[in-house]
């Protein structure tokens, strides 16, 4: 009997056991529901005759039964997933001094034989499963909480199982991971990011299982799978530390709602609950109590791409630099030393001397500056009672608050923010838009000033924070993040994919703001074919990317005379796509205006979607969008239109072109009506 036949027989046996467990769980769920319904009915019928203790006892019983039912529902979900894909790998591991090897099947979830209690499938996050990712046949080992286990892998196999059927099996071979990876990468994309547990590479596994780093910074090139790896790391931490952390304790700061929708499938596929997500803009709105109007990051980037405004660029650069933090700290110190002017206070002919007010103000120097006034008033009230034997009334206390606050220049955050630029002798650095709307670059300096002067309460509920697209956040934003979220963090991104290079942060800046962080690098790109990766490397000119050996078509650059011809050519590409095996096409423009224009021309096409700043869902089919919104997404085929010298000429333009082209998995087309941009390599 061949090994593959044996494996298929084992698979059938295992699935029968899973079905048996599923049937028992279903029966138990039905029983628990019936019992809960009966108890509710009993309570309703006899509530007048039951005393308080009996009611409480019955309520507690109902609660416990409900908790058991919820646990069974979770287990049922895992069993249903196992019926589809029970496992994807197998290693035969012989411990040192053991007579024979044990078979270890690795899957998304753990599964035990109910009769023997033995593990038939190990969760991919279990310590023993780490060997599947870290070793080929030969010497191997893993660590548990109690000890380090050494031995030998005598066989290694990998499978593709779908809907309970084995599609293929690859037996022990040093190239097994590459073979499986190539097969998986050649598949078409989908509307949701999928888990990659079957193809995690050794360097990725090291990042996922890093449990020691307080802050982990992941610099990953386009297509390296950094977001997926970060989510798998979260799944690992939830498994490893399930007693102290749950999905409710984790938060992800994502670039937009479309991307949040795209990645929302990964953790549920791994058996974990979806984690909350937010954006820097939502955080700012919440902390300003929705009272400050400001430009969005998308609007700022769009403005920079539509026209070159050197003064705007200067303002953005100035407010995004680490030096901005230093200047704002100096300004707060200046306020403390020079803007509080104490004076004598008279209360019912009783004098509170200015020196006492000054000493009280300085005594509370650990508090935010504008939070000290309450403490100063409290000191005055206490000392007036001690020395003058007079108890200040509520009305007098209110007046006293007003008097003390007036000793400070201003308590208006807007006025102090404006005064900061006056103090710098750079008033031109502050420019509000029509309707008192702040520029995006001013939002976080204003919030930082609020934090320094009024204080902001940390979000201690969050025990682990994930920050995606790390390059798009400024030094000021990172300082705010570090104060608001004093928890462990996974920070990831690619410094070569900034959509606004004037406000981006490099690795050095981020590391300086998180000095206790561990930095790990991912240079291998798995998304695109070798030909596409090599092409995009030339566009960037500085991206240090290792292309995977997955061959495909050369990127195609089509130069036409008129936009009408360009449109006709794009429609021909769409027709070709519709008759192909590919599922997703991205038509990625530089600006939203261009994306809107393209949509108007093509909106007669079937299965066509336009993404903009208000979009919340990413799907398959043909998607027209901008490079900004496409960041983090991937498509089987990508068309980048309007690649003219006029359209792509600045450094932000180059970044956008690079981002757009790196979205392509299998096929890339670039079109231009007129002179081609010099960013595209000579072909």
């Amino acid at each position: 009997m061949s090994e593959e036949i044996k494996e298929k027989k084992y698979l059938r046996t295992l699935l029968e056991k899973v079905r048996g467990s599923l049937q028992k769980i279903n029966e138990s769920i039905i029983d628990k529901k019936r019992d809960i319904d009966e108890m509710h009915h009993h309570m309703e019928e006899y509530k007048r005759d039951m005393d308080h203790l009996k009611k409480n006892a019955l309520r507690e019983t109902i609660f416990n039964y409900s908790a058991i039912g919820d646990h069974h529902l979770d287990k049922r979900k895992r069993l249903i997933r196992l019926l589809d894909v029970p496992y994807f790998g197998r290693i035969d591991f012989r411990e040192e001094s053991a007579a024979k090897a044990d078979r270890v099947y690795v899957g998304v979830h753990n599964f035990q034989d109910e009769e023997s209690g033995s593990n038939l499938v190990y969760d991919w996050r279990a310590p023993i499963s780490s060997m599947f990712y870290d070793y080929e046949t030969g010497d191997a080992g893993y660590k548990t909480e109690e000890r380090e286990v050494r031995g030998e892998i005598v066989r290694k196999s990998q499978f593709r199982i779908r809907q309970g059927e084995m599609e293929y099996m690859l037996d022990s071979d040093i190239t097994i991971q590459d073979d499986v990876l190539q097969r998986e990468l050649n598949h078409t994309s989908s509307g949701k990011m999928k888990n990659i547990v079957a193809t995690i590479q050794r360097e990725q596994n090291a990042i996922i299982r890093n449990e020691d780093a307080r802050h982990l910074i992941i610099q990953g090139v386009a297509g390296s799978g950094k977001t997926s790896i970060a989510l798998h790391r979260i799944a690992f931490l939830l498994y490893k530390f399930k007693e102290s952390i749950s999905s409710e304790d984790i938060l992800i700061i994502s670039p937009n709602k479309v991307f949040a929708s795209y990645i929302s499938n990964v953790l549920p596929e791994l058996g974990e609950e979806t984690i909350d997500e937010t954006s820097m803009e939502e955080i700012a709105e919440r902390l300003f109590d929705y009272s400050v109007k400001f430009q969005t990051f998308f609007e700022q980037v769009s403005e920079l791409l539509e026209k070159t405004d050197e003064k705007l660029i200067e303002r953005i650069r100035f407010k995004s630099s680490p030096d901005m933090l230093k200047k704002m700290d100096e300004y707060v110190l200046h306020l403390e030393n020079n803007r509080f002017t104490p004076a004598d206070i008279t209360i019912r002919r009783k004098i509170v001397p200015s020196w006492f007010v000054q000493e009280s103000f300085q005594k509370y120097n650990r508090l935010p500056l504008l939070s000290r006034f309450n403490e100063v008033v409290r000191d005055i009230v206490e000392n007036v009672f001690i020395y003058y034997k007079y108890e200040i009334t509520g009305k007098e206390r209110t007046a006293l608050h007003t008097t003390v606050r007036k000793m400070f220049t201003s308590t208006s955050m807007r006025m102090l923010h404006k005064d900061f630029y006056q103090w710098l002798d750079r008033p031109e650095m502050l420019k509000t838009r029509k309707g008192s709307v702040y520029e995006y670059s001013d939002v976080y300096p204003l919030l930082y000033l609020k934090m320094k002067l009024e204080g902001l309460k940390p979000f201690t509920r969050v025990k682990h924070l994930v920050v995606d697209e790390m390059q798009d956040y400024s030094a000021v934003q990172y300082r705010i993040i570090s104060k608001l979220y004093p928890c462990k963090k996974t920070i990831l991104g690619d410094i070569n994919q900034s959509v606004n290079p004037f406000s981006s942060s490099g690795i050095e800046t981020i590391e300086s703001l998180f000095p206790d962080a561990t930095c790990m690098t991912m240079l291998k790109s798995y998304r695109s074919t070798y030909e596409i990766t090599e092409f995009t490397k030339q566009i960037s000119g500085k991206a240090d990317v290792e292309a995977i050996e997955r061959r495909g078509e050369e990127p195609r650059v089509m130069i036409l005379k008129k936009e009408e011809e360009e449109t006709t050519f794009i429609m021909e590409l769409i027709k070709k796509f519709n008759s192909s095996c590919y599922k997703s096409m991205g038509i990625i423009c530089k600006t939203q205006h261009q994306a809107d224009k393209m949509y108007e021309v093509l909106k007669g096409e079937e299965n066509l979607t336009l993404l903009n700043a208000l979009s919340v869902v990413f799907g398959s089919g043909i998607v027209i969008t901008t490079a900004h919104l496409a960041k983090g997404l991937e498509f089987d085929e990508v068309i980048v239109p309007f690649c003219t010298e006029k359209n792509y000429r600045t450094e932000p333009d180059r970044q956008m072109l690079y981002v757009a082209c790196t979205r392509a998995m299998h096929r890339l087309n670039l079109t231009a009506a007129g002179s081609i941009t010099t960013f595209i390599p000579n072909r």
Side-chain angles (χ1 to χ4, degrees):
M1 186 185 296
S2 72
E3 286 300 322
E4 187 164 343
I5 292 174
K6 289 180 183 178
E7 285 294 350
K8 287 182 176 179
K9 183 179 179 181
Y10 177 81
L11 174 62
R12 288 193 295 271
T13 302
L14 177 68
L15 289 175
E16 281 303 312
K17 291 181 180 291
V18 174
R19 290 188 189 97
S21 294
L22 185 59
Q23 183 177 346
K24 289 180 181 179
I25 283 289
N26 284 332
E27 291 171 356
S28 179
I29 290 171
I30 292 170
D31 289 343
K32 287 289 179 292
K33 184 180 183 306
R34 184 176 57 247
D35 291 342
I36 291 171
D37 288 343
E38 288 177 356
M39 284 186 280
H40 275 300
H41 178 73
H42 180 80
M43 179 175 282
E44 188 63 29
E45 187 174 354
Y46 296 102
K47 62 182 177 182
R48 292 182 179 178
D49 302 326
M50 297 173 70
D51 60 28
H52 182 67
L53 291 176
K54 286 183 178 179
K55 284 181 181 178
N56 281 345
L58 190 55
R59 287 192 186 103
E60 187 173 348
T61 302
I62 291 171
F63 176 81
N64 291 335
Y65 270 52
S66 297
I68 294 170
D70 290 342
H71 174 73
H72 284 170
L73 285 171
D74 289 339
K75 187 174 180 180
R76 183 171 70 176
K77 288 178 185 176
R78 292 194 293 272
L79 290 171
I80 290 171
R81 290 191 189 100
L82 286 172
L83 284 176
D84 182 24
V85 186
Y87 53 84
F88 52 80
R90 167 187 166 183
I91 53 174
D92 291 9
F93 178 67
R94 182 172 60 235
E95 284 192 40
E96 289 178 340
S97 74
K100 65 175 185 175
D102 293 322
R103 286 196 298 181
V104 177
Y105 284 89
V106 181
V108 175
H109 301 301
N110 188 73
F111 181 69
Q112 283 187 325
D113 188 322
E114 294 184 358
E115 295 178 3
S116 65
S118 59
N119 264 39
L120 300 181
V121 179
Y122 286 87
D123 191 295
W124 66 277
R125 298 165 290 187
I128 197 170
S129 301
S130 65
M131 293 189 294
F132 177 77
Y133 302 108
D134 291 339
Y135 297 98
E136 303 302 332
T137 51
D139 292 342
Y142 64 97
K143 291 181 180 179
T144 68
E145 295 289 340
E146 297 79 22
R147 65 189 181 113
E148 182 174 358
V149 182
R150 300 299 303 179
E152 177 189 10
I153 294 176
V154 296
R155 179 183 172 187
K156 183 174 179 180
S157 305
Q158 192 151 357
F159 316 92
R160 180 179 173 88
I161 301 171
R162 293 293 181 272
Q163 297 180 339
E165 295 292 331
M166 188 182 296
E167 295 181 5
Y168 65 74
M169 167 187 171
L170 294 173
D171 211 350
S172 298
D173 189 312
I174 199 162
T175 63
I176 180 172
Q177 288 280 42
D178 288 339
D179 289 343
V180 173
L181 183 63
Q182 289 282 357
R183 290 183 187 225
E184 293 300 316
L185 293 178
N186 277 316
H187 284 160
T188 55
S189 68
S190 68
K192 296 281 188 181
M193 182 182 283
K194 298 293 185 183
N195 78 70
I196 58 168
V197 289
T199 57
I200 291 170
Q201 304 299 288
R202 186 175 300 173
E203 68 274 13
Q204 295 173 329
N205 194 45
I207 295 172
I208 290 170
R209 293 176 187 265
N210 184 319
E211 57 189 79
D212 300 320
R214 173 162 179 75
H215 304 312
L216 184 63
I217 300 172
I218 306 171
Q219 160 54 33
V221 299
S224 58
K226 52 190 171 293
T227 302
S228 183
I229 294 305
L231 293 172
H232 283 69
R233 180 170 190 252
I234 291 302
F236 171 76
L237 295 175
L238 288 170
Y239 173 88
K240 177 77 175 180
F241 302 105
K242 53 180 168 281
E243 300 302 323
S244 59
I245 190 170
S246 72
S247 57
E248 294 178 352
D249 304 321
I250 300 172
L251 178 69
I252 181 169
I253 298 178
S254 60
N256 54 64
K257 295 297 181 185
V258 171
F259 184 69
S261 166
Y262 178 59
I263 66 174
S264 64
N265 214 43
V266 175
L267 286 171
E269 277 190 358
L270 298 173
E272 303 295 346
E273 296 296 322
T274 301
I275 59 178
D276 287 339
E277 64 84 25
T278 189
S279 67
M280 285 302 294
E281 289 160 32
E282 288 175 334
I283 291 171
E285 285 180 333
R286 178 178 170 187
L287 294 174
F288 284 133
D289 199 23
Y290 304 93
S291 62
V292 175
K293 293 183 288 185
F294 56 84
Q295 183 187 44
T296 66
F297 184 52
F298 183 84
E299 288 168 342
Q300 183 198 71
V301 172
S302 297
E303 187 174 353
L304 288 168
L305 293 172
E306 294 286 356
K307 61 179 180 179
T308 301
D309 185 336
E310 293 297 338
K311 290 184 178 180
L312 173 60
I313 291 171
E314 184 185 3
R315 291 196 297 273
I316 293 170
R317 275 189 170 137
F318 178 76
K319 297 167 191 175
S320 303
S321 67
D323 191 52
M324 183 69 171
L325 287 168
K326 181 181 175 184
K327 295 295 184 187
M328 296 195 81
D329 288 342
E330 290 173 358
Y331 174 66
V332 172
L333 186 61
H334 164 77
L335 291 177
E336 180 173 355
N337 294 334
N338 300 282
R339 299 297 183 85
F340 184 70
T341 310
D344 291 349
I345 300 172
T346 303
I347 303 172
R348 293 286 181 96
R349 295 193 295 276
K350 297 170 177 62
I351 303 296
V352 178
S354 61
W355 62 262
F356 178 85
V357 178
Q358 179 69 34
E359 283 188 358
S360 179
F361 182 74
Q362 291 176 339
K363 182 172 67 173
Y364 297 105
N365 59 5
R366 291 196 176 186
L367 293 177
L369 197 150
L370 299 183
S371 299
R372 301 182 200 175
F373 302 137
N374 289 339
E375 305 305 320
V376 172
V377 170
R378 185 179 291 113
D379 281 356
I380 292 172
V381 170
E382 289 177 358
N383 280 271
V384 165
F385 182 77
I386 292 169
Y387 291 103
Y388 295 125
K389 308 303 179 186
Y390 176 72
E391 187 171 347
I392 293 175
T393 66
K395 188 176 181 180
E396 288 170 330
R397 188 169 187 144
T398 301
L400 187 57
H401 269 283
T402 303
T403 301
V404 172
R405 291 180 78 87
K406 284 183 177 179
M407 293 178 186
F408 191 71
T409 307
S410 172
T411 57
S412 165
M413 205 55 60
R414 290 175 182 269
M415 294 303 295
L416 290 169
H417 183 237
K418 183 177 180 180
D419 181 66
F420 166 68
Y421 294 105
Q422 298 286 348
W423 173 77
L424 279 177
D425 200 23
R426 300 288 303 273
E428 76 282 359
M429 285 290 106
L430 178 62
K431 182 181 179 182
T432 54
R433 304 302 177 86
K434 185 178 180 181
S436 299
V437 175
Y438 280 106
E439 290 184 336
Y440 184 76
S441 59
D442 265 311
V443 176
Y444 300 95
L446 178 61
L447 191 56
Y448 184 68
L449 193 61
K450 180 180 175 69
M451 183 174 74
K452 296 288 287 186
L453 295 179
E454 295 181 351
L456 293 174
K457 192 176 180 181
F459 298 134
T460 52
R461 181 190 67 80
V462 177
K463 295 181 181 178
H464 197 104
L465 181 72
V466 180
V467 182
D468 206 348
E469 302 297 347
M470 66 182 184
Q471 69 282 354
D472 286 334
Y473 302 117
S474 68
V476 179
Q477 288 174 306
Y478 275 116
R479 180 61 60 81
I480 291 169
I481 288 171
S482 68
K483 294 293 184 182
L484 289 177
Y485 302 98
C487 57
K488 292 185 175 183
K489 299 173 186 69
T490 301
I491 303 171
L492 60 139
D494 178 14
I495 56 173
N496 298 306
Q497 292 189 69
S498 172
V499 293
N500 180 4
F502 310 122
S503 65
S504 62
S505 293
I507 287 293
E508 300 79 10
T509 297
I510 300 171
E511 284 186 306
S512 69
L513 292 164
F514 299 97
D516 55 346
T518 300
C519 188
M520 304 184 81
T521 303
M522 301 170 67
L523 296 178
K524 187 176 287 186
S525 177
Y526 299 97
R527 175 186 297 133
S528 306
T529 61
Y530 178 88
E531 290 76 11
I532 293 173
T533 301
E534 288 298 308
F535 179 84
T536 57
K537 281 168 66 176
Q538 293 179 66
I539 291 174
S540 171
K542 58 183 180 181
D544 188 9
V545 184
E546 182 182 339
I548 193 168
E549 283 290 333
R550 180 171 70 86
R551 294 289 177 169
E553 301 175 22
E554 286 285 348
R556 186 177 181 183
V557 180
M558 195 69 179
I559 305 173
L560 302 125
K561 293 180 180 179
K562 298 178 181 179
E563 281 196 11
E564 292 81 2
E565 294 178 16
E566 184 178 17
T567 301
T568 300
F569 180 70
I570 290 171
M571 293 177 80
E572 289 174 1
L573 291 175
I574 291 173
K575 187 176 180 181
K576 184 179 178 183
F577 163 78
N578 285 330
S579 62
S580 72
C581 62
Y582 294 148
K583 295 179 181 177
S584 65
M585 169 185 275
I587 302 177
I588 306 178
C589 304
K590 190 182 85 169
T591 68
Q592 190 63 49
H593 175 73
Q594 291 171 356
D596 294 342
K597 177 182 173 183
M598 180 61 70
Y599 181 73
E600 283 301 313
V601 172
L602 299 176
K603 64 182 181 181
E605 297 290 334
E606 291 184 12
N607 205 14
L608 184 70
T609 304
L610 173 68
L611 293 186
N612 56 36
L614 300 177
S615 301
V616 295
V617 177
F618 171 69
S620 57
I622 304 167
V623 175
I624 301 176
T625 187
T626 64
H628 183 179
L629 289 177
K631 218 166 34 157
L633 308 179
E634 61 185 24
F635 303 88
D636 292 323
E637 181 174 352
V638 164
I639 300 172
V640 186
F642 315 127
C643 294
T644 61
E645 176 61 22
K646 182 180 179 181
N647 195 33
Y648 287 99
R649 54 189 177 82
T650 66
E651 190 55 33
D653 295 343
R654 181 200 291 269
Q655 298 273 54
M656 289 297 187
L657 185 61
Y658 176 74
V659 170
C661 292
T662 53
R663 302 307 95 202
M665 295 172 63
H666 308 297
R667 187 182 290 163
L668 173 62
N669 291 280
L670 300 94
T671 65
S675 300
I676 194 82
T677 173
T678 56
F679 296 147
I680 293 178
N682 294 327
R683 306 184 66 75

